[in-house]
Each structure stands twice: as C-alpha cells, then as structure tokens.
C-alpha cells in the first residue's frame, strides 16, 4: 500500500512532508498539482481534498489533509525516531503548541511571499497592502522564535537536542523567503533563527536541499532576468521553470 | 499538583479547555486575565505565556499555551474516554486535521465578532473593513463544516458517533456569534451545523451552558440597552458585566 502525496513544487508544507518521507525511507508516489492552472479546484482533486489545499495524502482508502496532521501520522510509521514527535505527553504537547502557534503567526510568511513577490508566478495578483500586514506578523514571529522558541540548551526548537516535526515545518516555511528580494534584510537580525535553519537543513540533508533546489533555480534566474531584461537564456530558463508551477 | 488555567470569560478557546476539565472532573484553579485592561501583556503574565494569549496552563513546573495543545494534553489524563482524542493513529490524525483546519478557517469567527461588534467591550476599536473579509471566511468555513466535516453517519465531526476535542473547540468558536446581531442570519442556512452545536452542547452540559452564560447575559443586556437607551437597570447591569472583562 504505497503512500500517495499530492503536492506543489513551491508549497512549503508539501516540502516538509516529502523531506520527512525521504528521510525515513517511506516509499511514496508524488502527484504534482498545478496551482498556476488552478488544478487544486478541479472535481478530480476535490475528491482527494475538498478544501482545495496542498499537501494531501492517500494511503490505501485513508485520506488526510493539513501538513501538520500528515506529519503526525507519518511520525507513527515504523522506524521513525521518537524525537520527531515524542511519545512523552508533555514533550509532545509542547511540540503541538509550536505547531498551533505556527498557524496564526509564522504562517504569514507564505502570504507575504505571495502578496509581495511571487503571486505572478502562480498567475495571481500582488497585494502590496496585505503584504505590509503579513510582513509585520512575520517579523514578530521571527522575533518570537529567536527569543522564545529557541531559548534553550539544544539547537532545535524548545531547546531540544534533536529535531521534531515542528523544526521541519517551521524551517520550510521560512525557506520560502528565498523568493523575495528582502530576504536577507528580514532574516539578518535573527542570528539564532539563521543558525537553527542551518541546523535543521543539516539534520535533514540531502533532502532539504533537494526539495528547495527549484526555488534556488527560480531565484537565480529571476535575479538574472531582472538585471538583464533581454538575456534570452535566462528568459528561456524562466519559461521552463514557470511551466512546472 | 493542581492545574492552573489562565483564561478570559469571553475567550472561546478558554471555554473549550474549562468545559473539558469540568466534564472530566479534572481539578483546576482558574485565573482570570483581563483583556480589557491588557493584563495579558504584563510582565507577570509573560512569565506564564510570552505570546500574551489565552488560555495557558501551568501544571507543576510545566507550562503550556495554545488551546488545541492543551486539550490534547488534558485528553491524556486518567479517566478521559478514548473518543475525545483516539489512540488509533488514523482516527487521531483526522481529528488533528480538523483542528489544523480550524486555525486558518473557522478561527476568523472570533475576528469577525471582535471587528464587527465586540471590540468596544474590550476597549478596542471596531474594524468594519476587516470584518467584511472575516465574514467571508467564516461563511465559507460554515459551508465546509456543513458539507464536509459533518458528512457522515454519526452526529459529530468526521461522522463520529461520540464527540472529540475538535467538536468542543469548533463549537465553542461558533458560540461567539451569540454576541453579534446577525448571528441567526449567518447560521440559519446551516441546519446540520445548528444541530451539531446542539448535540455538542448536550454532550457537554451542564458545563457548556455554564461557560456561555456570561455571553448570554451580555447579549440580553446589550439588546435591551440598544432598544431603550435610557433604561437605567440595563445600563447598571451592563456596567457590572463590563467590569468583568
């Protein structure tokens, strides 16, 4: 009974789920859903996830949406080390608390990236007014990670010495900032956050880099494209990349 | 080691946590934090929860915030029936999925109630522009509960025959609509939602009614107050109620 993962190549919750599977050698088939073509709203996809969101999984007759719920489900698979989602109820509830906090706070990173920069990649409109609000919540969230969630002895969230599904989920969210020109300006004040992303990357590589490679390609070509507007090679490459979204 | 619950009398996640404790005879001490006076931002409360949000619990040396995480923690207490947060991993992940969905969707109920009506009760300003957006998300969420989450044989979410912590959390969120004048207009198209709230109420009474009683008192006195502006008895009662917030 092979797991099926419905995902998008720029969706940070999809990245977290796939990195987790690859890291634990959980076999899966991935099905790309084109957000640029609105494929998440088709009747075919609505059967998988009526919410029209990604990622979603199908495991035999079992269907599940919401990346945190999926990560919790996958963490119960044989061979997954306890630190990813501890069986100790106090440790587990703390991780749950970070995951819940993510929804109403750091989750604005995706909205900021879309509204300020990336929307046209998915054939949507920028919303600079909303981006101002998203950015405020994002900065406040980074400050909270720096000063509270990373306030402990270990190098991971909650002062843990080993990563949990919360580290993976939150780090993938922040990686989306690679797509905005003010990424360094936003992140540079948060030294502990930068180090923690690097630690989470190291703990989950080569899959962390693999899953973010398209984003880096896109970033590189967008940079060339904006500096040399007529650079035909960059334009060609951009067209190729955009056709994947 | 008695549980301490930091809460607010109009906070729907606080209600869910307290109803759960009362229902399971979990002893606790409740500490009211005045949102109207900004008590959630004091240094004293920041020691309990640096996020400045309610509810939060202290259990011995253990501190926890975020109501879903708290409910998951409490569901592990002795004597809590399995259906509240099943040990079966597939059933559990489904409940997790509803709880995650709650954050980015139905959670706008509170924002709608605040922005459209209740903000002055907490000495804040209305934001009617934001309320329009909140209302849209709220209506879409109710539609999704009606047509998807309640689409099953049992009377609770996910077609379950017994309530889970997701039923309690989502029903408490919707109960906040008692504070807005368009409550019936909003809810009346959703017959299954109305029946499910009634079923969740019955499954958790007398505590469900007890926790929402202040809201009903407030609603009643606000209605009198707006119809008979000079009704001194209503004004006096309103002042008494407001002093509790």
């Amino acid at each position: 009974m092979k797991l099926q993962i419905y995902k998008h190549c720029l969706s940070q919750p999809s990245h977290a789920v796939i990195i987790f599977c690859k890291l634990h050698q959980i076999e899966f088939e991935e099905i790309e859903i084109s957000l640029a073509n609105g494929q998440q709203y088709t009747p075919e996809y609505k059967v998988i996830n009526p919410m029209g969101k990604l990622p979603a999984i199908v495991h035999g007759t079992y269907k599940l949406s919401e990346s945190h719920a999926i990560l919790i489900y996958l963490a119960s698979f044989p061979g997954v080390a306890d630190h990813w989602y501890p069986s100790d109820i106090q440790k587990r509830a703390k991780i749950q608390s970070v995951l819940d906090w993510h929804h109403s706070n750091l989750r604005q990173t995706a909205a900021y990236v879309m509204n300020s920069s990336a929307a046209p990649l998915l054939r949507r409109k920028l919303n600079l007014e909303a981006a101002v609000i998203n950015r405020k919540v994002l900065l406040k969230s980074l400050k909270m990670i720096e000063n509270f969630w990373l306030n402990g002895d270990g190098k991971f969230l909650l002062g843990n010495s080993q990563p949990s599904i919360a580290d993976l989920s939150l780090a993938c969210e922040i990686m989306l900032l690679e797509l905005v020109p003010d990424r360094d300006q936003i992140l540079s004040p948060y030294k502990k956050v930068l180090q923690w992303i690097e630690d989470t990357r190291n703990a989950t590589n080569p899959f962390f880099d693999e899953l973010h490679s398209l984003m880096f390609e896109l970033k590189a070509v967008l940079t060339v494209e904006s500096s040399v507007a007529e650079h035909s090679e960059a334009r060609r490459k951009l067209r190729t990349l955009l056709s994947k979204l």
Side-chain angles (χ1 to χ4, degrees), chain A residues 12 15-21 23-24 71 84 102 157 163-174 196 200 204 208 212:
Chain A
Q12 79 289 8
H15 292 166
V17 166
I18 292 176
I19 291 168
F20 191 86
C21 283
L23 197 61
H24 294 95
L71 286 168
W84 288 101
H102 180 186
L157 297 170
S164 75
I165 55 173
D167 292 280
L168 184 55
S169 177
L170 273 63
C172 284
E173 183 83 43
I174 294 176
W196 157 72
T200 305
T204 57
F208 194 89
H212 293 107

Side-chain angles (χ1 to χ4, degrees), chain A residues 226-244:
Chain A
S226 62
S227 62
V228 192
E230 294 308 312
H231 194 299
S232 63
E233 177 60 16
R235 284 203 167 277
R236 192 194 55 74
K237 202 164 177 188
L238 182 60
R239 269 199 304 278
T240 312
L241 290 171
L242 289 182
S243 70
K244 294 183 183 177

Side-chain angles (χ1 to χ4, degrees), chain A residues 22-195:
Chain A
K22 293 201 168 203
L23 197 61
H24 294 95
Q25 298 172 297
I26 297 169
E27 276 191 55
F28 65 94
E29 173 195 354
E30 57 184 74
I31 299 112
E32 182 74 16
I33 297 294
S34 168
L35 297 181
N37 293 330
Q39 211 184 338
Q40 74 274 30
Y41 301 123
T42 58
E44 290 77 16
Y45 187 66
K46 285 283 173 81
V47 175
I48 307 300
N49 181 12
M51 311 298 167
K53 299 278 181 187
L54 293 162
I57 62 165
V58 177
H59 196 202
T61 57
Y62 185 68
K63 290 175 194 156
L64 191 64
S65 60
E66 291 288 343
S67 69
H68 293 169
I70 295 171
L71 286 168
I72 289 170
Y73 179 64
L74 296 173
S76 74
F77 277 36
V80 176
D82 190 69
H83 62 79
W84 288 101
Y85 193 60
S87 47
D88 177 276
I89 184 63
Q90 290 200 335
K91 288 183 185 166
R92 173 171 289 201
K94 278 280 190 189
I95 288 169
Q96 200 64 52
S97 173
V98 180
L99 292 171
D100 286 327
W101 174 86
H102 180 186
H103 281 291
S104 348
N105 296 278
L106 190 67
R107 197 66 181 83
Q108 296 269 324
T109 310
Y112 175 65
V113 171
M114 281 295 286
N115 288 328
S116 72
S117 301
L121 299 177
L122 302 179
R123 297 183 198 160
R124 295 179 192 167
K125 283 185 187 165
L126 295 178
N127 184 342
L128 299 179
E129 210 174 319
V132 172
I133 301 166
N134 303 144
R135 199 178 197 273
K136 272 188 197 161
V137 181
L138 162 59
L139 293 179
K140 208 176 149 194
S141 303
L142 290 170
K143 197 174 162 191
M144 199 51 89
I145 298 178
E146 180 90 1
N147 297 329
F148 181 62
W149 295 125
L150 286 173
N151 201 4
D153 293 337
K155 46 189 184 174
F156 296 102
L157 297 170
L158 299 164
N160 291 335
S161 57
Q162 299 280 353
S164 75
I165 55 173
D167 292 280
L168 184 55
S169 177
L170 273 63
C172 284
E173 183 83 43
I174 294 176
M175 284 301 290
L176 263 189
L177 288 175
E178 295 295 337
L179 288 178
V180 297
D182 52 345
R183 183 258 182 205
D184 292 348
Q185 194 196 338
I186 290 174
L187 287 179
S188 61
Y190 305 105
K191 305 298 179 208
K192 282 160 81 177
V193 171
L194 286 167
Q195 183 58 51

